[in-house]
């Protein structure tokens, strides 16, 4: 029995053990799940709050603590209504609580306030937790913070609204479509122009919309394919019908737009109404055409004016030239010289006005030819030396020796600028000095920028006039015009010329103390193969002395002498010079002394005499007397006796070099060649030419000038007579040159030249005309003329040109000579 009972107990105990094990395993599973659920709650990015059925808080997760600012200890054990701060929250809480008491779930948006009193929005779900019997044991509240979501939503909404407003204020019609060509929307201008409701058209196929019917839709498809292929906007000009059925011209641009994932979203079309622009463009074209016609008429007028003015000026200057060669008494000579000076002045004014008109008409062109900077500046300055000497002005001129000797540009216009500035300086300066200074400002790549200034000690310019002095037809005031004359165009023309040389022109001046006009200009340059300003080796290192009371003048000469490898000292008076030379006898004697003629105290001539006559000075230096006039014309023979050579101010590097070589008899041959060239005859005796001129006075002037050189001259009064004369001369004794006027009755000079060359292609024809506009000279060369002589006639240049072209056995290639003659003609003018 006991065994049976033990067995039964064992079986029952074993079953119980198994049941306990099963329960333990189940509890372990629940524990692990509970741990997972707990971790989820602890890490969830939402607020979780659990309360009992009376609203006493049992649990809050970390996210709730983070968002609300309340710690766990601050809320657990409190009723939920104890942490509500707003009356509205309490009212809402009561409604929610009544719903929950009925066993229902509540969801909605609530406004919460954190511990710091800051409000934030939340979306909440509150649910009852029930046990197995269906009894509510707890309530769980899960709340999502909506602040960031709302911020992003508001930002997107504002951005969308801004974009919509931006599109609406754009003056062009903008629309956008899906990639399948369904209309998506458009801006205000699109609605206005086409009279459509973009909201109603949304989702409609583009081909069925009012503004994309027929041909325009076909263009849209072409542009769509084009922009997808090129990845660039496709643009067309199309016509569209506006709301009032008016046909307008639009610039249509189409391009694709892409979504955030880089896929094609659709297409953006922009139509800009350019109807008014096209009408304005047409009006501008008409205005431009009218302007061109006016400019052409102006140019023609200028050409005619030039001819009409120069023709009588030629008669005046020509007749005065011939009259001066006749026997006259002193009074008559005085009258004629004054007429000639006045006529030359008038010609200068005419040239200024014509130059200004060329600028205005856009007909002014710059030459590009090789030239010597020193020659151009010297020639410009030499014109005013007599006037400066007459006013007893010190004239200084400085050009560094290290500048390129050969520049490439327009020498005529560069000389014109310098001439104008120096002319003004001499005109407005009554005492003191004038200085022309050249310096290098930049140099690279075969180009050089020069800075040239003209300084004077004249009347200066008042501040109020400095700003307008470069304006056309402007003088400082009316009294200036009355006293000094002038058109007021000179500086305006200079400014135009400087700007065409890529430079600038400006003035620095103080009223009553003088002015400095400075300009810059760019030139190409040619590297010099040889240095032309070297002295013989026997002179290198020799000591020389400069005697000048003007410090600036002395410094310039010293620089030039040191460039010649000479050692130069400066003193400011004759007495100091004499003492210096005597002291040098014991060391190294002076080989040359350069003495200013006019100095206070001992004059230049007296200083030269003392040097030559002082017995203490055993080795007599060469004496160079520097005067303010050419070749010492005003120096008496007695004063000149002790001078070995004369230099006239302003002195240039090359002139100084040449004179030194002359004195040392190392430059005699070159100097004699120069003298011979200056006195050269043109060798025109017996040469036969045809003069074609319709104006009687011009014929007379030209005939007398030509015959004075021994030329055989035949006359024709128009082109037809010239053609007959050339034809007749071919039978007996042909002409060797034709001087051809341009504007003549019956047959003009252009036609006559072409017909003459049909008879004799090698016969030189030289235009002699008052027509000097650049395009007219070009026309002369195009019709076969070999050269151009401007009226009024410069006799020397006329004879030079004739001697160059007179036909003989050594007649050169016509084309090459034509190009050279064109260059020389432009230089001469």
């Amino acid at each position: 029995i006991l065994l049976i009972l033990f067995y039964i107990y064992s079986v029952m105990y074993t079953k119980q053990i198994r049941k306990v094990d099963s329960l333990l395993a189940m509890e372990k599973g629940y524990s692990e799940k509970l741990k997972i659920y707990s971790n989820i709650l602890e890490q969830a990015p939402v607020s979780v709050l659990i309360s009992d059925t009376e609203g006493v808080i049992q649990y809050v997760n970390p996210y709730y603590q983070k968002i609300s600012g309340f710690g766990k200890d601050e809320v657990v054990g409190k009723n939920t209504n104890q942490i509500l701060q707003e009356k509205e929250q309490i009212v809402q809480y009561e409604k929610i609580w009544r719903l929950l008491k009925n066993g229902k779930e509540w969801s909605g948006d609530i406004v919460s306030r954190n511990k710091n009193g800051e409000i934030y929005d939340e979306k909440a779900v509150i649910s009852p937790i029930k046990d197995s019997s269906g009894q509510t044991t707890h309530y769980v509240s899960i709340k999502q913070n909506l602040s960031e979501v709302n911020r992003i939503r508001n930002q997107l909404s504002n951005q969308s609204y801004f974009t919509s407003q931006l599109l609406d204020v754009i003056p062009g019609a903008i629309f956008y479509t899906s990639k399948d060509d369904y209309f998506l929307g458009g801006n205000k201008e699109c609605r206005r122009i086409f009279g459509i409701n973009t909201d109603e058209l949304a989702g409609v196929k583009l081909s069925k919309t009012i503004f994309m019917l027929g041909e325009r839709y076909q263009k849209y498809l072409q542009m769509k394919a084009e922009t997808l292929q090129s990845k660039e906007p496709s643009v067309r000009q199309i016509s569209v019908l506006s709301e009032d059925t008016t046909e307008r011209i639009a610039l249509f641009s189409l391009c694709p737009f892409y979504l955030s994932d880089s896929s094609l979203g659709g297409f953006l079309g922009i139509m800009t109404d350019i109807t008014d622009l096209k009408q304005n463009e047409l009006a501008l074209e008409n205005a431009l055409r009218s302007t061109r016609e006016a400019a052409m008429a102006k140019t023609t007028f200028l050409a005619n004016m030039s001819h009409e003015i120069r023709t009588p000026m030629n008669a005046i200057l020509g007749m005065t030239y011939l009259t001066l060669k006749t026997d006259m008494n002193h009074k008559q000579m005085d009258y004629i010289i004054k007429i000639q000076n006045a006529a030359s002045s008038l010609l200068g004014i005419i040239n200024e006005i014509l130059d200004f008109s060329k600028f205005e008409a856009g007909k002014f062109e710059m030459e590009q030819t090789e030239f010597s900077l020193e020659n151009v500046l010297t020639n410009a300055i030499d014109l005013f030396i007599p006037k400066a000497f007459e006013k007893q002005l010190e004239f200084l001129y400085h050009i560094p020796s290290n500048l390129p000797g050969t520049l490439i540009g327009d020498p005529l216009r560069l000389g014109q600028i310098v001439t104008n500035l120096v002319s003004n300086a001499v005109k407005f300066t009554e005492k003191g000095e004038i200085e022309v200074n050249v310096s290098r400002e930049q140099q690279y790549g075969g180009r050089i920028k020069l800075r040239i200034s003209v300084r004077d000690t004249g009347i200066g310019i008042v501040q109020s006039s400095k700003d307008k002095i470069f304006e056309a037809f402007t003088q400082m005031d009316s009294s200036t015009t009355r006293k000094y004359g002038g058109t007021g165009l000179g500086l305006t023309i200079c400014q135009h010329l400087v700007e065409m040389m890529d430079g600038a022109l400006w003035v620095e001046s103080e009223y009553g103390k003088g002015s400095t006009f400075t300009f810059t200009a760019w030139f190409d340059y040619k590297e010099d193969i040889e240095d032309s300003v070297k002295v013989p080796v026997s002179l290198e290192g020799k000591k020389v002395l400069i005697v000048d009371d003007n410090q600036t003048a002395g410094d310039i000469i010293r620089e030039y002498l040191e460039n010649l490898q000479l050692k130069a000292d400066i003193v400011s008076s004759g007495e100091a010079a004499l003492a210096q030379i005597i002291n040098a006898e014991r060391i190294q004697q002076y080989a040359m002394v350069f003495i200013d003629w006019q100095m206070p105290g001992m004059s230049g001539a007296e200083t030269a005499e003392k040097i030559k006559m002082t017995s203490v000075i055993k080795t007599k230096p060469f004496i160079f007397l520097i005067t303010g006039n050419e070749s010492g014309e005003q120096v008496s023979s007695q004063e000149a006796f002790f001078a070995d050579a004369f230099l006239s101010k302003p002195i240039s590097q090359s002139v100084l070099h040449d004179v030194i070589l002359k004195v040392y008899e190392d430059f005699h041959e070159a100097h004699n060649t120069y003298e011979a060239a200056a006195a050269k005859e043109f060798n025109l005796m017996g040469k036969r030419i045809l003069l074609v001129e319709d104006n009687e006075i011009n014929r007379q002037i030209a005939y007398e000038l030509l015959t004075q050189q021994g030329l055989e001259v035949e006359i024709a009064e128009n082109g037809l007579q010239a053609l007959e004369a050339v034809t007749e001369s071919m039978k007996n004794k042909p002409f060797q040159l034709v001087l051809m006027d341009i504007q003549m009755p019956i047959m003009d000079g252009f036609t006559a030249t072409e017909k003459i060359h049909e008879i004799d292609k090698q016969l030189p024809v030289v235009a002699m005309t008052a027509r000097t506009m650049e395009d007219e000279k070009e026309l002369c060369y195009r019709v076969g003329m070999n050269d151009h002589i401007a009226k009024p006639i410069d006799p020397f240049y006329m004879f030079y040109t004739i001697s160059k072209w007179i036909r003989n056995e050594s007649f050169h290639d016509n084309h090459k000579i034509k190009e050279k003659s064109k260059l020389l003609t432009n230089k001469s003018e």
Side-chain angles (χ1 to χ4, degrees):
I1 293 170
L2 288 172
L3 287 173
I4 292 171
L5 290 172
F6 179 78
Y7 174 77
I8 293 170
Y9 176 77
S10 297
V11 170
M12 290 177 65
Y13 181 77
T14 301
K15 286 182 179 180
Q16 187 66 29
I17 292 297
R18 287 176 180 173
K19 186 175 180 181
V20 170
D21 289 341
S22 175
L23 289 172
L24 289 173
M26 186 180 299
E27 183 179 355
K28 182 179 180 181
Y30 288 150
S31 178
E32 289 177 353
K33 286 183 179 181
L34 184 62
K35 186 176 182 180
I36 292 172
Y37 296 153
S38 177
N39 286 336
I40 291 173
L41 290 177
E42 291 290 310
Q43 298 177 29
V46 293
S47 296
V48 179
L49 187 149
I50 300 175
S51 69
D52 61 13
T53 55
E54 298 303 321
V56 178
I57 299 172
Q58 305 291 313
Y59 168 84
V60 290
N61 72 339
Y63 188 81
Y64 171 82
Q65 299 172 52
K66 175 183 176 182
I67 294 299
S68 69
F70 291 107
K72 186 175 182 181
D73 296 338
E74 295 179 275
V75 293
V76 172
K78 291 185 178 181
N79 198 291
T80 52
N81 61 6
Q82 290 182 278
I83 60 173
L84 300 177
Q85 300 178 9
E86 301 291 336
K87 183 178 180 180
E88 290 78 5
Q89 290 178 302
I90 296 173
V91 173
Q92 187 181 30
Y93 174 77
E94 291 174 351
K95 292 180 180 179
I96 294 172
W97 194 250
R98 284 196 296 271
L99 190 67
L100 293 174
K101 284 294 185 179
N102 292 326
K104 297 180 181 179
E105 181 182 87
W106 179 88
S107 65
D109 295 339
I110 61 175
V111 177
S112 300
R113 187 182 294 272
N114 62 20
K115 186 177 180 179
N116 295 328
E118 297 170 347
I119 294 175
Y120 58 98
D121 297 323
E122 290 183 306
K123 188 171 188 64
V125 176
I126 304 176
S127 303
I129 301 175
K130 299 179 180 181
D131 59 12
S132 58
S133 64
Q135 293 295 318
T136 299
T137 62
H138 293 83
Y139 295 102
V140 60
S141 174
I142 300 175
K143 298 185 289 183
Q144 180 185 6
N145 186 2
L146 297 178
S147 297
E148 185 65 18
V149 174
N150 289 340
R151 186 188 67 80
I152 295 173
R153 182 185 296 116
N154 290 335
Q155 185 177 0
L156 291 174
S157 177
N158 290 337
Q159 186 173 353
S160 175
Y161 184 64
F162 172 78
T163 304
S164 175
Q165 290 182 93
L166 179 64
L167 291 177
D168 283 343
V169 298
I170 293 176
I174 300 176
F175 66 93
Y176 32 100
T177 69
S178 69
K179 60 183 178 182
D180 299 324
D181 302 339
Y182 286 96
F183 186 85
L184 297 179
N187 69 343
K188 182 178 179 181
E189 186 68 5
C190 183
R191 296 191 293 271
R192 186 190 68 80
I193 289 179
F194 300 106
I196 58 175
N197 187 323
T198 53
D199 294 334
E200 292 179 357
L201 288 180
V204 177
K205 193 73 172 178
L206 195 63
S207 58
K208 297 181 180 180
T209 59
I210 187 172
F211 64 99
M212 274 291 165
L213 293 174
E215 183 181 348
R216 284 192 290 276
Y217 182 67
Q218 296 304 315
K219 283 189 178 181
Y220 166 85
L221 294 177
Q222 294 172 7
M223 293 169 69
K224 176 181 170 181
E226 183 180 303
T227 189
L228 287 174
Q229 182 178 4
S230 66
K231 307 300 181 184
E232 296 289 337
S234 179
V235 181
R236 293 284 194 282
Q237 186 173 298
I238 64 173
S239 62
V240 296
L241 290 177
S242 64
E243 184 180 7
D244 59 359
T245 68
T246 304
E247 186 171 355
R248 309 286 291 177
I249 300 173
L251 194 65
F252 182 21
S253 174
L254 186 71
C255 63
F257 66 86
Y258 296 90
L259 303 179
S260 59
D261 61 358
S262 299
S263 63
L264 178 65
F267 296 90
L268 178 67
I270 303 175
M271 290 185 184
T272 304
D273 190 345
I274 59 171
T275 307
D276 294 338
L277 290 176
K278 295 296 289 184
Q279 291 173 349
N280 291 338
E281 181 183 345
L282 182 61
L284 286 173
E285 288 178 355
N286 293 333
L288 182 60
R289 189 181 303 108
S290 299
T291 303
R292 286 173 178 166
E293 291 172 355
M296 183 63 68
K298 186 175 182 179
T299 302
T300 304
F301 171 76
L302 285 174
N304 291 333
M305 283 297 296
S306 176
H307 180 270
E308 294 302 323
I309 293 172
R310 287 175 179 273
T311 298
M313 286 302 300
N314 180 59
I316 295 170
L317 289 172
M319 284 300 184
T320 53
Y321 179 85
L322 293 173
T323 305
L324 286 171
K325 288 183 172 293
T326 64
D327 293 330
M328 293 181 290
N329 59 40
H330 178 75
K331 182 177 287 189
Q332 290 171 328
M333 179 72 73
D334 180 58
Y335 290 164
I336 295 298
I337 289 174
K338 287 178 178 176
I339 291 172
Q340 186 182 50
N341 290 339
S344 298
S345 177
L346 178 59
L347 183 61
I349 293 172
I350 291 168
N351 286 337
E352 282 190 349
I353 294 173
L354 290 175
D355 277 349
F356 180 74
S357 300
K358 288 178 184 178
F359 283 120
E360 291 290 293
K363 291 290 183 179
F364 204 97
E365 296 181 1
M366 303 291 283
E367 289 290 325
Q368 286 293 311
T369 185
E370 294 181 6
F371 67 92
S372 164
L373 175 64
E374 184 173 312
N375 289 346
V376 170
L377 297 184
T378 301
N379 291 338
I381 292 169
D382 283 350
L383 297 171
F384 305 98
I385 292 175
K387 184 65 175 176
F389 178 74
E390 179 185 321
K391 300 173 78 170
Q392 296 185 338
L393 301 175
E394 187 85 21
F395 210 132
L396 308 173
Y397 165 43
H398 174 241
I399 176 170
S401 62
N402 60 351
L403 294 180
T406 303
L407 300 182
I408 301 173
D410 194 325
L412 177 67
R413 298 309 176 184
L414 175 59
Q416 185 177 351
I417 298 168
V418 177
T419 298
N420 195 290
L421 297 181
V422 173
S423 172
N424 285 343
V426 174
K427 182 192 300 184
F428 296 111
T429 305
E430 297 302 328
K431 62 180 180 178
E433 64 185 33
I434 295 170
E435 181 185 6
V436 179
N437 188 59
V438 183
S439 62
R440 180 205 328 260
E441 192 156 288
Q442 295 183 49
Q443 183 175 351
Y444 56 85
R447 297 265 289 164
I448 185 169
K449 184 181 183 181
L450 296 182
R451 180 189 182 104
I452 302 175
S453 62
V454 179
R455 178 182 63 84
D456 65 63
T457 55
I459 63 175
I461 305 169
V462 295
Q463 186 64 36
S464 59
S465 297
K466 284 172 64 175
D467 297 335
K468 60 182 181 180
I469 196 169
F470 295 106
E471 296 177 6
F473 306 106
T474 299
Q475 294 279 9
M476 283 193 295
D477 54 48
S478 58
S479 62
T480 301
T481 307
R482 289 198 301 272
K483 183 175 180 180
Y484 297 101
T487 60
L489 287 175
L491 290 176
T492 303
I493 292 171
C494 286
Q495 190 173 52
H496 279 299
L497 292 173
V498 166
E499 288 172 354
M500 293 181 74
M501 296 177 182
D502 300 322
L505 170 64
W506 67 94
V507 63
E508 297 169 352
S509 181
E510 184 176 350
Y511 186 68
K513 294 186 178 181
S515 306
T516 300
F517 283 86
T518 306
F519 71 94
T520 57
W522 280 96
F523 301 95
D524 294 332
Y525 67 89
K526 187 176 180 181
E527 295 288 353
D528 297 321
I529 299 174
E530 297 181 357
D531 186 0
S532 60
V533 291
K534 287 184 178 179
V535 295
V537 177
S538 60
L539 290 180
E540 290 184 3
K542 294 286 186 181
K543 283 185 67 177
V544 297
L545 181 64
I546 303 163
V547 189
D548 201 318
D549 61 305
N550 186 296
Q551 183 66 39
T552 306
D555 289 339
I556 291 173
I557 297 174
R558 177 167 62 179
E559 180 185 329
Y560 289 163
L561 291 170
E562 289 177 347
N563 289 335
L564 298 174
Q565 308 304 312
L566 298 169
K567 298 178 181 178
D569 296 325
I570 300 178
V571 293
S572 59
S573 67
E575 293 84 357
L578 198 60
Q580 188 93 346
I581 294 169
I582 292 172
N583 290 334
E585 281 289 308
R586 299 190 301 271
I587 310 170
Q588 182 183 2
Q589 298 86 359
Y590 286 105
M592 290 170 269
V593 182
F594 297 84
I595 310 172
D596 187 23
W597 176 42
Q598 286 185 329
M599 292 187 297
M602 190 184 294
S603 69
E606 290 171 339
T607 305
E609 181 180 356
K610 292 284 187 182
I611 294 171
K612 292 289 188 180
M613 298 302 291
T614 301
S615 59
V616 179
I617 304 173
K618 303 298 183 184
T619 305
K620 304 297 183 184
F622 287 101
I623 303 295
F624 296 81
L625 197 57
I626 302 172
T627 70
N629 56 296
E630 296 181 5
S631 305
E633 287 177 355
Q634 303 300 320
V635 182
S636 67
S637 58
Q638 182 179 355
E639 292 176 314
F641 181 78
F642 297 101
D644 295 288
F646 287 92
L647 286 164
S648 59
K649 294 181 181 180
I651 300 170
S652 67
Q653 177 82 72
S654 61
V655 168
L656 184 63
H657 165 263
D658 292 351
V659 172
I660 291 173
L661 290 183
K662 174 182 178 295
V663 170
Y664 277 86
E665 298 184 349
D666 289 325
F667 196 58
H668 279 318
E669 182 178 353
H671 180 73
N672 292 337
T673 302
Y674 173 80
E675 292 292 336
K680 178 183 177 181
E681 292 293 334
F682 290 101
N683 298 322
L684 298 177
M685 183 67 69
K687 304 297 183 182
R688 189 161 185 263
I689 70 171
L690 176 63
L691 172 63
V692 188
E693 172 64 67
D694 67 311
N695 185 280
E696 182 180 357
I697 296 178
N698 287 346
R699 280 201 307 272
Q700 180 185 353
I701 293 169
Y703 182 82
E704 293 193 25
L705 289 172
L706 294 168
T707 53
Q708 284 177 7
Q709 283 290 322
L711 286 158
E712 294 182 13
V713 182
E714 186 171 328
I715 292 175
E717 295 183 9
N718 57 59
L720 184 59
Q721 289 184 13
L723 184 60
E724 293 171 352
V726 170
T727 304
E728 186 64 28
S729 71
M730 297 293 290
K731 301 175 183 177
N732 302 308
K733 188 178 180 182
F735 295 114
Q736 291 167 284
L737 183 135
V738 178
L739 288 176
M740 180 73 73
D741 190 19
I742 300 298
Q743 189 170 323
M744 296 181 293
I746 303 177
M747 182 184 290
D748 62 56
F750 296 137
T751 307
T753 299
E754 292 176 331
K755 291 187 176 296
I756 286 172
H757 281 161
E758 291 176 3
I759 301 170
D760 184 353
K761 293 182 179 179
Q762 300 300 316
L763 178 59
V765 178
V766 176
M768 190 164 69
T769 176
R771 289 187 171 272
T772 59
M773 299 292 282
E774 196 62 36
D775 51 355
E776 292 175 317
K777 288 194 286 186
E778 290 289 343
L779 183 57
C780 289
Y781 301 127
R782 283 202 299 271
V783 300
M785 292 184 175
N786 301 82
D787 215 324
H788 184 284
I789 297 173
K791 294 177 182 176
I793 297 168
D794 178 346
F796 180 88
Y797 182 72
M798 180 178 69
F799 297 140
Y800 166 77
T801 304
I802 292 173
S803 66
K804 181 180 66 171
W805 288 104
I806 200 80
R807 186 165 68 175
N808 51 43
E809 294 178 357
S810 61
F811 188 75
H812 301 290
D813 178 72
N814 188 53
H815 176 70
K816 292 180 180 179
I817 296 179
K818 183 186 296 183
E819 292 302 315
K820 287 184 68 179
S821 73
K822 175 183 174 184
L823 184 61
L824 287 169
T825 300
N826 290 334
K827 282 183 179 179
S828 170
E829 188 190 2

